[in-house]
């Protein structure tokens, strides 16, 4: 009788004692170190598609003792996520199953009472908007409008106030701008409207005779009116026998005397 014994093939890759091959990383992110020993050159990679939030370094090494660092970014989604890190040494393949806890989704919340659809008068002015966010943020007016600006344009997580400044509208039509606030992956837009300039007008006081007839002896006529713009008054050329005073004024109620 002959007894034949065969040795057991030794592992080409052995994790260090106590190594956690199913680590759970907090939502804030962090790094996990994995140590091992190999009998041949090795490679390491994140083998799960679309897991750019998880990285491994170094990606290769020689035989002997090795350590890789698995780095996980902050989870800004509201769900748990996972990825496999694969280590290959010779013909042996080992995997580390990395899980990350769900994070708080990025958000922007306006303080109660904030007007998120402001309408500015034609004269222009400023609008303040206060909000709370859990991420660093930026603010900008789309299309780089020259009549509408925002300040400040960035900040850290917390409660902040931005001021939108709007110049006077000299056109006789509405105009619109969009304020975009971006916090992490969350985007909030605010539509800013500005009223058009009121068309210039002159309105005579009720009962005013706009076609007066003066006697041959001459006399004076008072004409009262209201206007929304600076005004001038003059007598047509060649009518030196007729005078008007005053010859100009500001917006509001006015009276001229024709002599």
């Amino acid at each position: 009788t002959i007894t034949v014994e065969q040795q057991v093939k030794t592992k080409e890759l052995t994790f260090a004692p106590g190594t956690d091959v199913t680590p759970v990383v907090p939502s804030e992110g962090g790094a996990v170190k994995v140590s091992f020993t190999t009998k041949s050159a090795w490679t390491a990679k994140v083998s799960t598609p679309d897991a750019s939030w998880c990285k491994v370094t170094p990606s290769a090494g020689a035989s002997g003792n090795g350590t890789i660092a698995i780095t996980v970014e902050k989870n800004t989604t509201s769900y748990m996520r996972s990825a496999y890190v694969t280590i290959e040494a010779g013909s042996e393949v080992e995997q580390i199953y990395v899980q990350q806890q769900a994070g708080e989704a990025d958000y922007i919340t306006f303080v109660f009472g904030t007007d998120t659809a402001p309408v500015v008068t034609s004269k222009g002015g400023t609008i303040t908007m206060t909000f709370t966010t859990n991420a660093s943020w930026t603010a900008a007016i789309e299309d780089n409008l020259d009549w509408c600006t925002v300040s400040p344009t960035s900040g850290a997580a917390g409660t902040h106030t931005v001021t939108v400044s709007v110049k006077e509208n000299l056109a006789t039509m509405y105009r619109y701008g969009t304020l975009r606030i971006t916090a992490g992956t969350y985007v909030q837009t605010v539509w800013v409207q500005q009223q058009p300039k009121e068309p210039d007008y002159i309105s005579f006081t009720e009962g005013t005779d706009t076609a007066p007839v003066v006697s041959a002896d001459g006399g004076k006529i008072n004409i009262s009116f209201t206007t929304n713009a600076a005004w001038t008054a003059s007598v047509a050329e060649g009518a030196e026998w007729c005078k008007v005073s005053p010859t100009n004024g500001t917006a509001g109620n006015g009276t001229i005397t024709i002599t």
Side-chain angles (χ1 to χ4, degrees):
T1 301
I2 299 173
T3 302
V4 180
E5 294 183 355
Q6 185 178 23
Q7 293 179 338
V8 176
K9 181 182 178 182
T10 57
K11 290 175 67 65
E12 293 190 46
L13 188 156
T14 304
F15 288 113
T19 297
D20 184 1
V21 295
T22 58
V24 179
V25 182
S27 61
E28 290 78 12
V32 178
K33 290 187 176 181
V34 177
S35 297
F36 49 86
T37 301
T38 67
K39 292 186 176 182
S40 58
W42 57 270
T43 60
K45 65 180 180 180
V46 177
S47 52
T48 300
D50 301 322
S52 59
W53 51 271
C54 183
K55 295 178 174 57
V56 59
T57 55
S59 59
S63 61
N65 295 326
T67 298
I68 59 172
I70 302 170
T71 306
V72 177
E73 297 176 356
K74 178 181 178 181
N75 188 356
T76 59
T77 70
S78 57
Y79 54 85
M80 197 168 190
R81 57 187 180 183
S82 61
Y84 282 100
V85 173
T86 301
I87 306 174
E88 295 186 32
S91 61
E92 191 163 345
V93 178
E94 294 285 355
Q95 287 190 315
I96 300 167
Y97 182 55
V98 181
Q99 298 181 79
Q100 186 178 24
Q101 295 175 337
E104 182 180 40
D106 295 331
Y107 68 83
I108 297 172
T109 304
F110 286 106
V111 172
F112 179 77
T114 298
D115 186 358
T116 57
V119 178
V120 184
T121 69
S122 62
K123 296 296 184 183
T126 58
I127 309 159
T128 57
M129 297 184 181
T130 302
F131 59 90
T132 300
T133 179
N134 64 338
S136 296
W137 58 272
T138 59
I141 302 296
E142 292 184 353
D143 300 323
N144 295 317
L145 302 176
D146 60 359
W147 56 270
C148 186
T149 59
V150 61
S151 178
T153 56
S154 63
T159 300
H160 299 272
T161 298
V162 295
T163 300
V164 178
S165 300
V166 179
K167 294 180 180 179
E168 183 179 6
N169 187 2
L170 299 178
T172 56
M173 63 182 67
Y174 272 90
R175 59 184 179 183
Y176 309 93
T178 301
L179 167 65
R180 177 183 290 267
I181 304 175
T182 303
T185 58
Y186 188 89
V187 177
Q188 177 73 55
T189 57
V190 176
W191 201 35
V192 180
Q193 302 180 67
Q194 186 177 22
Q195 295 173 338
K197 176 187 176 183
E198 184 180 26
D200 295 334
Y201 69 84
I202 298 173
S203 177
F204 290 108
T205 302
E206 185 177 357
T208 296
D209 184 357
T210 57
V213 177
V214 182
S215 70
D217 296 328
K220 294 183 177 181
I221 306 162
N222 290 325
I223 305 289
S224 296
F225 55 89
T226 300
T227 180
N228 64 339
W231 57 270
T232 61
S234 61
V235 176
E237 187 176 352
E240 291 79 5
W241 52 271
C242 182
K243 303 282 190 297
V244 61
S245 178
T247 58
N248 60 71
T250 58
N253 296 323
T255 298
I256 58 173
T257 300
I258 302 172
T259 303

